[in-house]
């Protein structure tokens, strides 16, 4: 018995070993030579042999099939590699895939001096190309298994085999890992007796590119005898994914007049195939341009980067002369480095030719006319301009300025945002008698500055002639408002003032008549000819029509025009106070208990409609007593209040006490008011005033109310 050799991982590019016994190790399925080197020729000649390949599946090579990574080459049945047509460059590497029902393998042709136009499959397989597998006795032998994606039925399909040259009798193979007993489960399985590995379904490299499995041998009880040995399953990419543009919509902008070669935008597509192969090597081109004027080739796209640039002269990229400032390009991305066999995907690129301010606005006329009535404000004329630039930009929008003829700032001009017209308005009423004509000089510019080689010319200014029409204006009072101060209660017929109104229409020589417009209290009269205002009633400062001692009346001045015009004037009469109102007391009713220990009855307050000094301090007195002297007493608290109290208890009854209050006016005014005092029976916290009358106010309540009133003054 030979000693067990270490585990050996034999790297084969696409080999499937179908060995049924240890003796089969003397024949290794696959290419006898896996790596070839040739110098880049000036040209590969059609049907001329480049090299000869030798492949054996150790089973007679039944149904042997070759595939070459470039569509321009093929392998004949005798193993000779030939070109299908004359071609100069194919890249630095070609891969030849051989396959029979029993085995498959990959050979690599290195072209020294070739141009790199495709990725190396070494990056896909993730292991180095090597010379043929050493023919030596070993224990568990596993080789990486290469399986093309998208294989069709039938399944399961044998894809490789594990060999243990020194496996004890009765032992079994066991396969584990993701794809076997881990999710996604059941993709691979192994014949526990022969070591044949099979796949049960179609694989997708874009979902899982490699599977890391483990092989071991076990005894009848499941105990591991050898291993686990890693087994790598590599899914070979096929060109089964079209390029797609995922970032749309694609909208680019370029300024009109831009230099040739200006970059507009970048278009990039995505290909889900292996980026290390030509399956995902993209090339771009423009399939269609709409519109196709003034040139069918306004733009160019970098085939590798996807940058879209202008290729016409700046003069052709003139937005104002273009049929349409928007171009739509159908961009195609093709994999396989743009070869005809590559898959394609398309997207639309929209390119907007942006406007720049290369046209100045011009008035449609040199002179404009306007007519406006005096005294009227608002828009009087719209000034029209032309501008060839884009209406949606500041290169088109106009800004107007009055540069002469507006010293009084009576005019303003604003831009109509919809029409771009200049709306000339009167903002201060014009007076025909001052000036019947006005001449304005107006200039127009754009919001955006002009490009350096364009300037504003004479057409960017215009003259506006404005005629003011005379209208019959109403007379004007001066001053307005008119003010006068008088004492209230002056005698009826007293003259207050003579109003003065003038007619602005000085050239018409009209007469003016006056009338009362608003006189709320009906106190006034005006002479219609000379405007003298006198009183028809007594003026009362305390009237509800007087506010803060001021009475307001309105008068009309009417001219003799046809039709007549009216002006309104305001008269403010300030009324001075006189002592014409006597003071009054509050409250006028009070209660007191017949056995009260506190003989205070009520706190009296006084008020007066007049103004100081015709009001407080007030003087409180008992005018006349109906009971013996020294029963009642009035004591001053302050200038507006006094305390009424008893000097002794009284029997239950109603009493009327005349209170006299006098103000401080000169001469003073006096008022006498009866204070009704109810003397009630107060026992067991109950107040009984039945015998004293119908009122039921407690003395305490009255005192509290009086004190509160005092505190609020």
């Amino acid at each position: 018995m030979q000693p067990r050799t270490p585990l050996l991982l034999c790297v084969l590019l696409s080999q499937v070993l179908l060995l049924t016994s240890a003796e089969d190790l003397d024949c290794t399925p696959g290419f006898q030579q896996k790596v070839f080197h040739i110098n880049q020729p000036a040209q590969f000649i059609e049907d001329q042999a480049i090299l000869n390949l030798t492949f054996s599946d150790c089973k007679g090579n039944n149904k042997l099939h070759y595939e070459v990574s470039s569509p321009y080459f093929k392998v004949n049945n005798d193993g000779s590699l030939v070109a299908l047509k004359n071609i100069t460059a194919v890249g630095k590497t070609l891969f030849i895939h051989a396959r029979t029902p029993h085995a498959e393998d990959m050979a690599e042709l290195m072209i020294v001096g070739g141009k790199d136009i495709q990725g190396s499959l070494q990056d896909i397989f993730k292991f180095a190309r090597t010379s043929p597998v050493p023919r030596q006795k070993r224990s568990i032998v596993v080789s990486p298994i290469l399986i093309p994606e998208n294989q069709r039925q039938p399944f399961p399909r044998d894809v490789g085999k594990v060999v243990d040259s020194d496996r004890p009798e009765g032992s079994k193979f066991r396969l584990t890992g993701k794809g076997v007993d881990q999710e996604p489960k059941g993709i691979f399985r192994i014949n526990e007796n022969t070591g044949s590995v099979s796949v049960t379904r179609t694989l997708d490299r874009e979902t899982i590119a490699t599977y890391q499995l483990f092989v071991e041998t076990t005894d009848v009880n499941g105990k591991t005898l050898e291993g686990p040995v890693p087994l790598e399953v590599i899914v070979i990419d096929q060109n089964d994914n079209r390029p797609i543009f995922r970032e749309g919509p694609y909208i680019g902008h370029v300024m009109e007049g831009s230099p040739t070669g200006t970059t507009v935008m970048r278009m990039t597509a995505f290909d889900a195939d292996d980026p290390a192969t030509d399956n995902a090597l993209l090339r771009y081109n423009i399939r269609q341009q709409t519109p196709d004027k003034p040139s069918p080739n306004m733009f160019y796209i970098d085939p590798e980067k996807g940058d879209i640039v202008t290729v016409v002269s700046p003069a052709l990229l003139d937005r104002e002369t273009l049929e349409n400032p928007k171009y739509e390009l159908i961009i195609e991305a093709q994999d396989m480095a743009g070869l005809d066999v590559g898959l394609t995907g398309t997207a639309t690129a929209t390119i907007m030719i942006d406007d720049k301010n290369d046209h100045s606005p011009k008035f449609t006329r040199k002179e404009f006319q306007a007519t406006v009535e005096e005294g009227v404000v608002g828009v009087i004329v719209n000034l029209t301009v032309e501008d060839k630039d884009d209406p949606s930009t500041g290169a088109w929008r106009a800004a107007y300025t009055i540069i002469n003829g507006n010293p009084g700032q009576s005019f303003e001009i604003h831009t109509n945002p919809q029409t771009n017209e200049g709306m000339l308005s009167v903002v201060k009423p014009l007076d025909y008698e001052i000036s019947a004509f006005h001449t304005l000089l107006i200039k127009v510019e754009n919001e955006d500055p002009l490009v350096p080689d364009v300037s504003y010319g004479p057409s960017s200014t215009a003259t506006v002639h404005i005629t003011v029409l005379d209208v019959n204006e109403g007379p004007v009072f001066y001053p307005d408002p008119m003010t006068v101060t008088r004492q209230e209660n002056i005698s009826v017929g007293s003259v207050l003032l003579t109003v003065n109104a003038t007619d602005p229409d000085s050239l018409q020589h009209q007469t003016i008549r006056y009338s009362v417009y608003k006189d709320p209290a009906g106190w006034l009269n005006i002479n219609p000819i000379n405007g003298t205002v006198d009183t028809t009633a007594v003026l009362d400062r305390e009237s509800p029509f007087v506010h803060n001692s001021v009475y307001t009346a309105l008068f009309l001045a009417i001219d003799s025009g046809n039709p007549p015009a009216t002006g309104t004037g305001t008269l403010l009469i300030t009324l001075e106070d006189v002592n014409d109102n006597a003071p009054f007391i509050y409250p006028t009713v009070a209660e007191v208990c017949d056995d009260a220990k506190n003989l205070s009855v009520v706190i009296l307050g006084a008020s007066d409609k007049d103004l100081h000094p015709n009001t407080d301090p007030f003087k409180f007195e008992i005018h006349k007593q109906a009971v013996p002297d020294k029963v009642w007493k009035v004591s001053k608290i302050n200038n507006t209040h006094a305390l009424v109290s008893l000097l002794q208890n009284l029997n239950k009854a109603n009493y009327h006490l005349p209170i006299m209050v006098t103000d401080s006016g000169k001469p003073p005014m006096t008022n006498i008011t009866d204070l009704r005092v109810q003397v009630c029976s107060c026992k067991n916290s109950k107040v009984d005033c039945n015998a004293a009358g119908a009122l039921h106010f407690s003395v305490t309540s009255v005192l509290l109310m009086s004190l509160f009133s005092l505190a609020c003054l």
Side-chain angles (χ1 to χ4, degrees):
M1 178 71 69
Q2 293 180 341
R4 299 181 64 87
T5 60
L7 296 179
L8 174 62
L9 174 61
C10 298
V11 178
L12 296 177
L13 297 176
S14 182
Q15 181 177 356
V16 178
L17 299 177
L18 299 176
L19 304 178
T20 58
S21 68
E23 287 74 13
D24 291 335
L25 289 175
D26 293 332
C27 177
T28 302
F31 286 104
Q32 289 189 1
Q33 182 177 345
K34 296 182 179 294
V35 180
F36 300 85
H37 294 82
I38 66 171
N39 292 323
Q40 168 71 46
Q43 189 177 48
F44 291 99
I45 306 301
E46 180 178 357
D47 290 333
Q48 180 177 312
I50 300 170
L51 57 86
N52 291 312
L53 302 164
T54 302
F55 175 85
S56 174
D57 65 354
C58 302
K59 296 291 184 178
N61 284 352
N62 185 32
K63 296 182 180 180
L64 173 60
H65 176 70
Y66 292 100
E67 292 177 341
V68 185
S69 62
S70 172
Y72 302 116
F73 295 87
K74 72 173 184 177
V75 178
N76 293 324
N77 292 334
D78 61 358
S80 59
L81 175 68
V82 298
L84 295 176
K85 66 177 183 177
N86 295 341
I87 187 170
T88 57
V90 296
K92 291 184 178 181
T93 309
L94 288 178
F95 296 95
I96 301 95
H97 183 219
R99 178 174 58 197
T100 73
H102 305 289
E104 59 182 302
D105 199 3
M106 189 81 72
E108 182 176 1
L109 173 59
M110 308 295 293
I111 303 173
V112 180
K115 183 180 178 181
D116 188 6
I117 63 171
Q118 65 182 21
S120 171
L121 283 183
Q122 292 178 355
D123 298 330
I124 308 170
F125 301 150
K126 300 179 183 177
F127 58 88
R129 312 295 182 208
T130 65
S131 58
V133 178
R135 293 185 173 98
Q136 62 178 8
K137 300 298 182 178
R138 55 198 181 274
S139 183
I140 294 182
V141 178
V142 296
S143 300
I145 299 175
L146 284 75
I147 307 175
E149 64 174 335
N150 303 323
Q151 286 184 322
R152 299 180 179 179
Q153 294 281 358
F155 291 108
R157 174 181 297 186
D158 288 341
V159 293
K161 188 171 185 179
V162 177
V163 177
D164 188 344
S165 60
D166 194 20
R167 181 162 64 96
E169 185 178 353
S171 64
K172 298 180 180 180
F173 291 101
R174 181 163 61 192
L175 187 65
T176 59
K178 291 183 178 179
V180 182
D181 56 348
Q182 301 177 30
E183 294 295 342
K185 297 180 179 179
I187 296 178
F188 303 100
R189 63 191 184 189
I190 191 169
N191 186 308
E192 61 182 14
N193 295 317
T194 67
S196 294
V197 179
S198 59
V199 62
T200 63
R201 70 188 74 164
T202 299
L203 303 182
D204 183 4
R205 191 206 66 86
E206 286 70 46
T207 302
I208 300 177
T210 62
Y211 295 86
Q212 297 296 329
L213 308 180
F214 297 93
V215 180
E216 57 186 350
T217 57
T218 64
D219 61 16
V220 293
N221 297 320
K223 181 180 178 181
T224 300
L225 299 176
E226 187 76 21
V229 175
L231 169 61
E232 184 175 32
V233 177
I234 300 170
V235 183
I236 302 174
D237 186 39
Q238 290 188 345
N239 192 17
D240 58 344
N241 289 278
R242 293 183 178 274
I244 59 173
F245 292 88
R246 302 191 297 185
E247 301 175 358
Y250 296 92
I251 300 176
H253 294 263
V254 62
M255 189 69 68
E256 64 172 328
S258 295
T260 303
T262 300
T263 300
V264 180
M265 60 191 298
R266 172 171 287 186
M267 297 279 287
T268 55
F270 169 77
D271 194 312
D273 288 320
D274 194 334
T277 69
D278 283 357
N279 293 340
L281 184 58
L282 305 183
R283 293 294 182 263
Y284 301 92
N285 70 89
I286 299 175
R287 291 288 302 274
Q288 181 180 334
Q289 170 190 301
T290 305
D292 59 358
K293 298 178 180 179
S295 168
N297 299 304
M298 298 286 289
F299 306 94
Y300 166 80
I301 187 168
D302 186 302
E304 296 184 2
K305 297 180 180 178
D307 290 337
I308 300 176
V309 299
T310 62
V311 292
V312 295
S313 66
L316 288 180
L317 209 60
D318 183 2
R319 185 188 175 281
E320 286 72 39
T321 61
L322 293 176
E323 178 181 315
N324 190 337
K326 181 175 75 172
Y327 286 87
E328 289 190 348
L329 308 180
I330 304 299
I331 305 299
E332 178 185 74
Q334 186 171 28
D335 58 23
M336 294 300 295
L339 297 178
D340 292 341
V341 295
L343 302 178
T344 62
T346 61
T348 300
T350 301
I351 299 178
M352 307 297 299
I353 310 302
D354 291 337
D355 188 37
K356 65 180 179 181
N357 198 7
D358 55 351
H359 295 85
S360 62
K362 298 178 180 180
F363 283 103
T364 58
R365 289 185 288 170
K366 289 300 296 179
E367 294 186 349
F368 294 85
Q369 305 292 331
T371 301
V372 61
E373 292 183 347
E374 64 173 334
V376 176
V377 296
V379 177
I380 59 173
V381 66
N382 291 315
L383 310 183
T384 54
V385 296
E386 293 178 345
D387 195 316
K388 295 181 180 179
D389 291 314
D390 185 356
S392 64
T393 67
W396 177 82
R397 291 190 291 270
Y400 298 87
T401 306
I402 302 173
I403 58 178
N404 196 12
N406 191 28
Q409 305 301 309
S410 299
F411 302 92
E412 288 183 358
I413 188 166
H414 301 280
T415 304
N416 185 318
Q418 280 74 40
T419 65
N420 215 31
E421 295 177 344
M423 301 182 296
L424 182 63
S425 303
V426 176
V427 294
K428 293 182 180 179
L430 304 177
D431 192 338
Y432 171 84
E433 285 71 30
I434 296 177
S435 178
F437 300 96
H438 296 267
T439 300
L440 304 179
L441 184 61
I442 298 176
K443 73 174 181 179
V444 61
E445 297 177 336
N446 288 129
E447 290 183 2
D448 292 348
L450 294 172
V451 296
D453 55 342
V454 178
S455 60
Y456 294 102
S459 298
S460 296
T461 59
T463 301
V464 182
H465 300 287
I466 302 165
T467 301
V468 183
L469 302 179
D470 188 25
V471 297
N472 187 23
E473 300 173 86
V476 178
F477 284 88
Y478 182 82
D480 189 28
M482 302 162 282
T483 60
V484 66
T485 300
R486 293 290 186 273
Q487 280 193 346
E488 64 174 334
N489 299 335
I490 60 175
S491 59
V492 176
S494 298
V495 175
L496 299 180
L497 81 164
T498 298
V499 300
N500 178 35
T502 58
D503 193 341
D505 302 307
S506 57
L507 302 179
Q508 298 185 22
H509 306 291
Q510 300 180 123
T511 59
I512 297 176
R513 295 180 62 83
Y514 299 95
S515 66
V516 177
Y517 179 45
K518 287 187 178 180
D519 179 18
W523 290 343
L524 306 177
N525 175 64
I526 189 169
N527 186 300
I529 305 300
N530 61 23
T532 300
V533 179
D534 56 10
T535 62
T536 60
V538 175
L539 306 183
D540 183 8
R541 192 199 65 81
E542 290 77 34
S543 167
F545 299 106
V546 177
H547 303 283
N548 296 324
S549 300
V550 177
Y551 181 71
T552 302
L554 302 179
F555 298 94
L556 297 179
I558 307 168
D559 65 20
S560 57
N562 185 20
T566 301
T568 303
T570 301
L571 173 61
L572 303 177
I573 305 173
T574 300
L575 297 176
E576 295 178 341
D577 186 42
V578 298
N579 195 17
D580 57 348
N581 290 279
F584 57 90
I585 65 168
Y586 58 88
T588 58
V589 177
E591 292 180 354
V592 66
C593 293
D594 55 0
D595 59 351
K597 296 181 180 180
N598 183 358
L599 298 179
S600 296
V601 178
V602 67
I603 295 176
L604 298 178
S607 182
D608 196 317
K609 293 182 179 181
D610 292 319
L611 299 178
H612 190 78
N614 297 321
T615 57
D616 61 88
F618 299 112
K619 181 180 180 181
F620 296 88
E621 300 176 276
I622 298 176
H623 180 60
K624 183 175 70 174
Q625 298 194 42
V627 294
D629 291 340
K630 297 182 180 181
V631 174
W632 304 94
K633 179 181 178 181
V634 176
S635 304
K636 178 180 178 180
I637 298 177
N638 54 31
N639 290 341
T640 57
H641 290 77
L643 175 65
V644 177
S645 58
L646 287 169
L647 300 178
Q648 62 184 35
N649 291 109
L650 295 179
N651 293 329
K652 181 178 178 182
N654 288 336
Y655 299 87
H656 294 273
L657 183 64
I659 302 297
M660 182 172 66
V661 58
T662 304
D663 62 25
S664 296
K666 295 182 179 180
M669 295 197 72
T670 298
N671 180 30
I672 300 175
T673 303
D674 277 348
L675 174 64
R676 181 184 178 189
V677 180
Q678 294 178 294
V679 179
C680 306
S681 174
C682 304
K683 294 181 179 180
N684 299 326
S685 300
K686 293 183 180 180
V687 179
D688 181 10
C689 298
N690 289 336
L695 295 177
H696 301 285
F697 297 97
S698 69
V699 174
T700 302
S701 298
V702 173
L703 284 172
L704 288 174
M705 291 174 61
S706 299
L707 287 171
F708 179 78
S709 176
L710 175 61
C712 293
L713 294 176

